């Protein structure tokens, strides 16, 4: 049995550059010598039936209660979990654009009395836990200058400010449990990519060396 792959998540506000960085990271890992087996994922995965409903909601073509859409986002991660586990177990590193942290941040940011911070965490408890969370920070002015900003439901200044606050709380609460690395994404694409690659190579090496069990998010125990 090969050592398992590492599970790396990129998180951040909208227009922080995650998607560009994920694609650069995947290319650099797979073209290194020897190549690192790597698979890229993104959430929400809009290609599944659940993802189609999420897409309609984000494009404001459909409305839903905050609680219902939260559970759909979480289901979209749970439906991907068996394949994610299998990929990691076969020794492939997974790099993932958004995960349960966005789930909590974007719903709790709405400050709706029925979906507070703890409620938001509930449905994602027990998902595979990442080995590294890269949190890309972006200033409001840079965020708003980047292309397409404002096209989807959550892309308003007020909500993004609130999301920023919840991400800070998640990071503080997870302190010591799992390594979060904050990356200043106001810098050039190349500078950001260099920091990300360095952090990922480090965690990759550690996971391949130690082959730790796949832990559970916000819960005790492991998947093995
Ligand atoms: P993206 O495809 O990365 O641009 O994400 C689409 C939007 O959905 C973005 O504004 C962030 C938001 N989002 C991502 N995951 C979740 C989630 O689990 N719950 C909620 N409420 N929003 C999410």
């Amino acid at each position: 049995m090969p050592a398992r792959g590492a599970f790396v998540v990129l998180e951040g506000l909208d227009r922080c550059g995650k998607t560009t960085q994920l694609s650069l990271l995947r290319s650099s890992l797979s073209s290194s010598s020897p190549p690192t087996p790597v698979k890229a994922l993104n959430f929400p995965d809009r290609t599944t039936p659940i993802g189609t409903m999420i897409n309609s909601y984000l494009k404001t073509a459909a409305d839903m209660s905050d609680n219902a859409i939260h559970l759909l986002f979480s289901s979209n991660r749970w439906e991907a979990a068996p394949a994610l586990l299998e990929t990691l177990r076969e020794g492939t590193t997974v790099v993932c654009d958004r995960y349960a942290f966005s789930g909590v941040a974007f719903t709790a940011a709405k400050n709706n009395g029925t979906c507070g911070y703890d409620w938001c965490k509930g449905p994602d408890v027990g998902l595979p836990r990442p080995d590294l969370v890269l949190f890309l920070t972006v200033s409001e002015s840079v965020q708003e200058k980047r292309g397409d900003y404002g096209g989807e439901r959550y892309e308003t200044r007020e909500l993004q400010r609130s999301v920023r606050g919840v991400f800070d709380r998640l990071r503080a609460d997870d302190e010591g449990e799992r390594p979060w690395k904050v990356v200043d994404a106001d810098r050039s694409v190349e500078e950001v990519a260099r920091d990300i690659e360095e952090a990922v190579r480090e965690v990759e090496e550690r996971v391949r060396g130690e082959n730790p069990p796949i832990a559970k998010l916000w819960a005790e125990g492991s998947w093995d």
Side-chain angles (χ1 to χ4, degrees):
M1 280 279 280
R4 74 165 172 93
F7 180 25
V8 175
V9 167
L10 266 70
E11 285 282 10
L13 295 176
D14 287 308
R15 304 291 170 245
C16 68
K18 278 179 301 77
T19 309
T20 305
Q21 290 298 335
L22 194 86
S23 141
L24 291 172
L25 176 63
R26 186 175 54 167
S27 317
S28 68
L29 290 176
S30 55
S31 61
S32 58
S33 176
T36 303
V38 61
K39 181 168 183 198
L41 289 184
N42 67 286
F43 293 110
D45 173 0
R46 303 187 196 212
T47 66
T48 70
I50 292 171
T52 305
M53 289 194 268
I54 293 173
N55 186 51
S56 304
Y57 173 83
L58 288 172
K59 301 277 184 218
T60 63
D63 241 329
M64 234 176 283
S65 76
D66 293 337
N67 305 74
I69 188 65
H70 183 78
L71 297 174
L72 284 186
F73 272 110
S74 176
S75 302
N76 188 234
R77 290 183 280 274
W78 277 107
E79 67 180 340
L84 164 62
L85 288 164
E86 202 183 311
T87 306
L88 293 172
R89 285 176 181 141
E90 73 188 20
T92 299
T93 280
V94 173
V95 290
C96 182
D97 184 344
R98 294 198 188 282
Y99 199 53
F101 312 99
S102 279
V104 177
F106 281 83
T107 305
K110 296 175 182 177
N111 289 316
N112 164 342
T114 71
C115 38
Y117 180 82
D118 291 328
W119 184 88
C120 286
K121 276 183 153 181
D124 286 308
V125 166
L127 276 171
R129 181 198 289 179
D131 299 296
L132 174 66
V133 181
L134 289 159
F135 183 65
L136 274 58
T137 59
V138 64
S139 62
E140 212 166 75
S141 57
V142 169
Q143 187 186 25
E144 290 178 4
K145 267 190 234 139
R146 290 187 174 160
D148 274 355
Y149 188 76
E152 284 199 340
R153 186 181 285 264
Y154 293 141
E155 293 176 357
T156 65
R157 185 181 286 186
E158 196 191 357
L159 187 84
Q160 296 285 321
R161 277 188 189 160
S162 184
V163 170
R164 205 180 279 272
V166 187
F167 268 128
D168 288 344
R169 179 169 175 190
L170 282 164
R171 235 180 331 135
D173 286 354
D174 281 348
E175 198 69 29
E177 219 198 301
R178 149 185 349 98
W180 281 62
K181 183 174 166 58
V182 178
V183 178
D184 172 3
D186 272 358
R187 295 172 302 158
S188 70
V189 170
E190 295 74 24
E191 284 173 302
V192 176
R194 197 193 49 222
D195 280 7
I196 289 179
E197 189 178 339
E198 191 182 296
V200 172
R201 289 208 183 273
E202 206 176 290
V203 79
E204 240 268 315
E205 211 166 286
R206 180 178 64 74
V207 168
R208 289 206 190 276
E210 296 173 7
N211 197 21
I214 300 168
K216 293 187 174 178
L217 184 64
W218 299 319
E220 298 297 318
S222 74
W223 277 94
D224 304 290

